[in-house]
Amino acid sequence: MQIGGYDRDVRQRCNGLEAIQITWLSGTRTPKHNHHSHGWVWVLKGRVFEVRNGRKTYFGEGDAFLEV
């Protein structure tokens, strides 16, 4: 397991919005944190999960969700 093992690439900036591509290495995790913003997440490949209010939710290829 790695902590912080990812690449972050800003693909587009326009009118105060950013499109960011994040590539996580398999098994990577982050400590509990907050971005203090809202954003859409679209899973292009693989699977990711988030824990919110003690509940773990998985998202797979093609899934999209709002990160609040």
Side-chain angles (χ1 to χ4, degrees), residues 31-48:
K32 184 177 178 179
H33 65 282
N34 187 324
H35 293 166
H36 302 288
S37 64
H38 302 300
W40 283 100
V41 176
W42 179 24
V43 181
L44 300 177
K45 184 177 179 183
R47 184 168 85 148
V48 66

Side-chain angles (χ1 to χ4, degrees), residues 3-4 7-10 12 16 18 21 28 32-33 35 37 40 46 49-50 53 55-56 59 65 68:
I3 295 179
D7 290 323
R8 181 181 184 276
D9 184 21
V10 178
Q12 182 72 34
E18 289 183 328
Q21 179 177 333
T28 300
K32 184 177 178 179
H33 65 282
H35 293 166
S37 64
W40 283 100
F49 71 86
E50 71 169 359
N53 299 323
R55 183 173 171 229
K56 185 185 282 188
F59 302 94
F65 62 96
V68 293

Side-chain angles (χ1 to χ4, degrees), residues 11-38:
R11 307 297 264 173
Q12 182 72 34
R13 283 191 174 116
C14 182
N15 298 324
L17 300 174
E18 289 183 328
I20 301 169
Q21 179 177 333
I22 298 175
T23 305
W24 292 84
L25 298 174
S26 182
T28 300
R29 59 181 291 169
T30 63
K32 184 177 178 179
H33 65 282
N34 187 324
H35 293 166
H36 302 288
S37 64
H38 302 300

